Each structure stands twice: as C-alpha cells, then as structure tokens.
Amino acid sequence: MATWSAPGKLFLFGEHAVVYGKSGIAMAIRPRIFVTVRKGGRMSEMKSPYLKECFRRMNVKGSIYVRSQLSSSSGLGSSAAITVATLSAINDEFGLSKSREEIAQIAFEIEKKVQKGLASPTDTYVSTFGGLILITQDMKRRLNPRNLPLVVGNTGVSHNTARMVEGVGEMMKQYPQIAGPIMDAIHEVVMSALHSLNDHRKLGYLMDLNHALLDALGVGHPALTRLVMAARAAGAFGAKMTGAGGGGCMVAICPPRLKNRVTGAITACDAQAFVTGIDTEGARKEKNG
Ligand code: MEV
C-alpha cells in the first residue's frame, strides 16, 4: 500500500493569457489531496475519469482511497492534484520508477485527454514540483519561494474551465484588436509582478489590475467581484479571481495582521474562506495509516 499527497495551486497572475503564450505566475498552496493505492484485491470502482485514466495509462489494476481537503471545480487545481497524487502512489506501489518529470508529463496528458484538449501543463507541473513557478511560452522556472500572506475565498459557484477557455477563444476570434491588447496588458502585469515579489502592496495593486483585465475578457462573475470588493474593503492590499473564473475562487494579499479580518469579510458574503501560503514540496510520500 502506498499513500502520496499533492498540493493545490493558485494562479497569482496571468491565467488565460498563458493559453496564448503569455507569461504567468502560479504557486502551489496548502491544502492537499491524499491518495492511497494498493495492488491486488478488487479493482475499485472509479467514477472520476481522472482516476480511471491514471490506472489505464500506468497499465495496472488496484484499489484506491482518496481524501481531499481541496474543493473541486473551484480553480484550485484539484483535478491536477488528484491526478499527480494518484500517479505518484501507483508509481511507488507498483515499483514503476518514473521520475517526477515523467509524472508531471503523464498527469498533463491525462488532464488534456479528460478535458478534451483544453489544459495547460501549469496545474500538473505546480502540483508535482510545488513552489512558486514562472510560466513562459517555452519553459517553466521555479522562483525563490516567498511567504505571501494570502486569503482564498470560494464563491461556491462551480465553473467549467474548458467552457471559460472556449469563451475567451471566441473573443480572441471575434475581437482580436480588443482581446489581443488585453492579453498583452496581462503579460505586462506579470512582468511587473515578477520584479515586485517582495513588495506586497505593489503585488496587491497588480492583482487589482489583473482582476479588471480578466473581467474585460469576460471571465468574471458577480459573486467573484463581491468577494474581491469585500476583501479590499477589509484592508487587503489587493484581490483578484484566480483560475478560469466564471465562479470558483478569488485570492487576496493582505497585511499579515489583517488576514483574519479579510477572511471574516469574505465569509460574511456567504462564502468559504481560508488563509493559505506556499507549499514548497509538491508531490510527497505519506506514511500509510
Ligand atoms: C485555469 O486554472 C487557468 C487557465 O489559464 C487555463 C490553463 O492555464 O490551463 C484558464
């Protein structure tokens, strides 16, 4: 029996624009998803297409038990985390000797297949390796980890990443002269953020800008805007939606002493909120138990 876990992720800057070759910054965060795999015995019945695909790709049969602290369809990379943790547990239990790089690559291919071609390798890469990651058109680079004081708010409105990505694609086709410059502006926000990672106030300002640009791309939602406004009013340096938008989660960066106040302001809007920070480990073997 082997138990592995993998963390969720946040897009700090640059979601959607990364699909068009622009840069982005993502971060692995607490909480994690835990997966136990056991060879032999009866093959578990799996409803999740991600889990089914993991066993098919690794060409093994076994039973599986999943424990998740991450809500699904919220933009926190739960499907990537479950895929990475499952592949890592299968790899360990069946002695397949795949490297971390191979696990990240197979996890990406599985996400892409299940999501009908609409996935970037960001979520699976971040969940496998952990840390703070700069995504550019042709590479991913681990940045020095920073302890950013973050609060995540979950609207509870479930969204469909593939549909949101398709919607932006439509806008790019119909209004390239409008959508193109918005993508360029997001890229510039990412570049500025990259040079301001130790300046939380400036990062907050850039998050506000990124949120407005995502709204302009049509991926906003009234529930997201409500939480973003509530966080800012409670003293956050800045806040934005995170991930595909259309529902799901937002993230705020705040002075450490105001984290609880910002959390309270978000929960007062009938949403869930939690304080989070960077996860630097990525996929990790756990004690069985
Ligand atoms: C979703 O978390 C982020 C998007 O940029 C899509 C992707 O990068 O796969 C919208």
Side-chain angles (χ1 to χ4, degrees), residues 9 11 15-16 18-19 75 119-120 122-123 161 165 243-244:
K9 74 95 196 28
F11 252 101
E15 52 273 85
H16 285 291
V18 293
V19 176
S120 78
T122 308
D123 290 17
T161 299
V165 173

PDB file of all heavy atoms in Angstrom, residues 9 11 15-16 18-19 75 119-120 122-123 161 165 243-244, ligand 1:
ATOM      1  N   LYS A   9      -3.200  24.528  -6.316  1.00  0.00           N
ATOM      2  CA  LYS A   9      -2.426  25.647  -6.868  1.00  0.00           C
ATOM      3  C   LYS A   9      -3.300  26.902  -6.996  1.00  0.00           C
ATOM      4  O   LYS A   9      -4.540  26.834  -7.005  1.00  0.00           O
ATOM      5  CB  LYS A   9      -1.823  25.294  -8.225  1.00  0.00           C
ATOM      6  CG  LYS A   9      -2.825  25.245  -9.382  1.00  0.00           C
ATOM      7  CD  LYS A   9      -2.878  26.542 -10.136  1.00  0.00           C
ATOM      8  CE  LYS A   9      -4.035  26.823 -11.049  1.00  0.00           C
ATOM      9  NZ  LYS A   9      -5.332  26.340 -10.959  1.00  0.00           N
ATOM     10  N   PHE A  11      -3.334  30.542  -9.363  1.00  0.00           N
ATOM     11  CA  PHE A  11      -2.707  31.451 -10.326  1.00  0.00           C
ATOM     12  C   PHE A  11      -2.616  32.798  -9.641  1.00  0.00           C
ATOM     13  O   PHE A  11      -3.640  33.394  -9.300  1.00  0.00           O
ATOM     14  CB  PHE A  11      -3.584  31.576 -11.581  1.00  0.00           C
ATOM     15  CG  PHE A  11      -3.007  30.886 -12.781  1.00  0.00           C
ATOM     16  CD1 PHE A  11      -3.474  29.643 -13.170  1.00  0.00           C
ATOM     17  CD2 PHE A  11      -1.986  31.473 -13.507  1.00  0.00           C
ATOM     18  CE1 PHE A  11      -2.927  28.992 -14.268  1.00  0.00           C
ATOM     19  CE2 PHE A  11      -1.437  30.835 -14.604  1.00  0.00           C
ATOM     20  CZ  PHE A  11      -1.913  29.588 -14.986  1.00  0.00           C
ATOM     21  N   GLU A  15      -3.500  33.944 -15.591  1.00  0.00           N
ATOM     22  CA  GLU A  15      -4.360  32.891 -16.132  1.00  0.00           C
ATOM     23  C   GLU A  15      -5.021  33.396 -17.416  1.00  0.00           C
ATOM     24  O   GLU A  15      -5.173  34.598 -17.619  1.00  0.00           O
ATOM     25  CB  GLU A  15      -5.426  32.417 -15.121  1.00  0.00           C
ATOM     26  CG  GLU A  15      -6.282  33.475 -14.472  1.00  0.00           C
ATOM     27  CD  GLU A  15      -5.624  34.045 -13.218  1.00  0.00           C
ATOM     28  OE1 GLU A  15      -4.805  34.975 -13.415  1.00  0.00           O
ATOM     29  OE2 GLU A  15      -5.936  33.617 -12.101  1.00  0.00           O
ATOM     30  N   HIS A  16      -5.432  32.492 -18.249  1.00  0.00           N
ATOM     31  CA  HIS A  16      -5.976  32.719 -19.592  1.00  0.00           C
ATOM     32  C   HIS A  16      -4.917  33.258 -20.559  1.00  0.00           C
ATOM     33  O   HIS A  16      -4.809  32.753 -21.671  1.00  0.00           O
ATOM     34  CB  HIS A  16      -7.209  33.645 -19.572  1.00  0.00           C
ATOM     35  CG  HIS A  16      -8.430  32.953 -19.056  1.00  0.00           C
ATOM     36  ND1 HIS A  16      -9.067  31.959 -19.760  1.00  0.00           N
ATOM     37  CD2 HIS A  16      -9.108  33.064 -17.867  1.00  0.00           C
ATOM     38  CE1 HIS A  16     -10.095  31.496 -19.057  1.00  0.00           C
ATOM     39  NE2 HIS A  16     -10.132  32.139 -17.900  1.00  0.00           N
ATOM     40  N   VAL A  18      -1.795  32.809 -20.381  1.00  0.00           N
ATOM     41  CA  VAL A  18      -0.804  31.749 -20.617  1.00  0.00           C
ATOM     42  C   VAL A  18      -1.227  30.818 -21.763  1.00  0.00           C
ATOM     43  O   VAL A  18      -0.379  30.255 -22.447  1.00  0.00           O
ATOM     44  CB  VAL A  18      -0.506  30.886 -19.351  1.00  0.00           C
ATOM     45  CG1 VAL A  18       0.188  31.671 -18.267  1.00  0.00           C
ATOM     46  CG2 VAL A  18      -1.769  30.229 -18.806  1.00  0.00           C
ATOM     47  N   VAL A  19      -2.545  30.706 -21.963  1.00  0.00           N
ATOM     48  CA  VAL A  19      -3.040  29.854 -23.049  1.00  0.00           C
ATOM     49  C   VAL A  19      -2.603  30.439 -24.409  1.00  0.00           C
ATOM     50  O   VAL A  19      -2.513  29.734 -25.407  1.00  0.00           O
ATOM     51  CB  VAL A  19      -4.588  29.731 -22.957  1.00  0.00           C
ATOM     52  CG1 VAL A  19      -5.167  28.930 -24.105  1.00  0.00           C
ATOM     53  CG2 VAL A  19      -5.003  29.117 -21.612  1.00  0.00           C
ATOM     54  N   GLY A  75     -11.088  26.154  -9.177  1.00  0.00           N
ATOM     55  CA  GLY A  75      -9.925  26.882  -9.704  1.00  0.00           C
ATOM     56  C   GLY A  75      -8.672  26.662  -8.886  1.00  0.00           C
ATOM     57  O   GLY A  75      -7.665  27.334  -9.102  1.00  0.00           O
ATOM     58  N   ALA A 119      -6.213  22.129 -21.666  1.00  0.00           N
ATOM     59  CA  ALA A 119      -5.477  22.196 -20.387  1.00  0.00           C
ATOM     60  C   ALA A 119      -4.075  22.698 -20.686  1.00  0.00           C
ATOM     61  O   ALA A 119      -3.491  22.357 -21.714  1.00  0.00           O
ATOM     62  CB  ALA A 119      -5.403  20.816 -19.747  1.00  0.00           C
ATOM     63  N   SER A 120      -3.552  23.534 -19.808  1.00  0.00           N
ATOM     64  CA  SER A 120      -2.138  23.902 -19.937  1.00  0.00           C
ATOM     65  C   SER A 120      -1.401  23.038 -18.916  1.00  0.00           C
ATOM     66  O   SER A 120      -2.009  22.538 -17.964  1.00  0.00           O
ATOM     67  CB  SER A 120      -1.944  25.392 -19.640  1.00  0.00           C
ATOM     68  OG  SER A 120      -1.966  25.605 -18.253  1.00  0.00           O
ATOM     69  N   THR A 122       0.307  23.852 -16.570  1.00  0.00           N
ATOM     70  CA  THR A 122       0.602  24.600 -15.338  1.00  0.00           C
ATOM     71  C   THR A 122       0.190  23.853 -14.071  1.00  0.00           C
ATOM     72  O   THR A 122       0.998  23.638 -13.170  1.00  0.00           O
ATOM     73  CB  THR A 122      -0.122  25.966 -15.348  1.00  0.00           C
ATOM     74  OG1 THR A 122       0.184  26.608 -16.563  1.00  0.00           O
ATOM     75  CG2 THR A 122       0.284  26.817 -14.166  1.00  0.00           C
ATOM     76  N   ASP A 123      -1.096  23.462 -13.998  1.00  0.00           N
ATOM     77  CA  ASP A 123      -1.612  22.869 -12.756  1.00  0.00           C
ATOM     78  C   ASP A 123      -0.827  21.622 -12.372  1.00  0.00           C
ATOM     79  O   ASP A 123      -0.446  21.428 -11.218  1.00  0.00           O
ATOM     80  CB  ASP A 123      -3.092  22.488 -12.907  1.00  0.00           C
ATOM     81  CG  ASP A 123      -3.996  23.704 -12.988  1.00  0.00           C
ATOM     82  OD1 ASP A 123      -3.491  24.805 -13.244  1.00  0.00           O
ATOM     83  OD2 ASP A 123      -5.217  23.550 -12.798  1.00  0.00           O
ATOM     84  N   THR A 161     -13.830  24.956 -16.537  1.00  0.00           N
ATOM     85  CA  THR A 161     -12.621  25.580 -17.093  1.00  0.00           C
ATOM     86  C   THR A 161     -12.648  25.563 -18.622  1.00  0.00           C
ATOM     87  O   THR A 161     -12.375  26.584 -19.269  1.00  0.00           O
ATOM     88  CB  THR A 161     -11.362  24.854 -16.577  1.00  0.00           C
ATOM     89  OG1 THR A 161     -11.346  24.968 -15.158  1.00  0.00           O
ATOM     90  CG2 THR A 161     -10.080  25.453 -17.128  1.00  0.00           C
ATOM     91  N   VAL A 165     -12.323  28.824 -21.073  1.00  0.00           N
ATOM     92  CA  VAL A 165     -11.221  28.967 -22.044  1.00  0.00           C
ATOM     93  C   VAL A 165     -11.802  29.130 -23.454  1.00  0.00           C
ATOM     94  O   VAL A 165     -11.329  29.957 -24.246  1.00  0.00           O
ATOM     95  CB  VAL A 165     -10.258  27.752 -21.960  1.00  0.00           C
ATOM     96  CG1 VAL A 165      -9.206  27.781 -23.060  1.00  0.00           C
ATOM     97  CG2 VAL A 165      -9.570  27.715 -20.594  1.00  0.00           C
ATOM     98  N   GLY A 243      -7.622  31.412 -11.418  1.00  0.00           N
ATOM     99  CA  GLY A 243      -8.023  30.263 -12.231  1.00  0.00           C
ATOM    100  C   GLY A 243      -8.905  30.713 -13.380  1.00  0.00           C
ATOM    101  O   GLY A 243      -8.816  31.860 -13.834  1.00  0.00           O
ATOM    102  N   ALA A 244      -9.793  29.823 -13.800  1.00  0.00           N
ATOM    103  CA  ALA A 244     -10.550  30.085 -15.023  1.00  0.00           C
ATOM    104  C   ALA A 244     -11.629  31.156 -14.883  1.00  0.00           C
ATOM    105  O   ALA A 244     -12.079  31.737 -15.862  1.00  0.00           O
ATOM    106  CB  ALA A 244     -11.180  28.786 -15.501  1.00  0.00           C
TER     107      ALA A 244
HETATM  108  C1  MEV B   1      -7.071  27.598 -15.203  1.00  0.00           C
HETATM  109  O1  MEV B   1      -6.676  27.351 -13.841  1.00  0.00           O
HETATM  110  C2  MEV B   1      -6.103  28.525 -15.857  1.00  0.00           C
HETATM  111  C3  MEV B   1      -6.322  28.781 -17.335  1.00  0.00           C
HETATM  112  O2  MEV B   1      -5.288  29.671 -17.748  1.00  0.00           O
HETATM  113  C4  MEV B   1      -6.290  27.538 -18.167  1.00  0.00           C
HETATM  114  C5  MEV B   1      -4.951  26.858 -18.145  1.00  0.00           C
HETATM  115  O3  MEV B   1      -3.903  27.515 -17.994  1.00  0.00           O
HETATM  116  O4  MEV B   1      -4.967  25.620 -18.360  1.00  0.00           O
HETATM  117  C6  MEV B   1      -7.652  29.478 -17.574  1.00  0.00           C
END
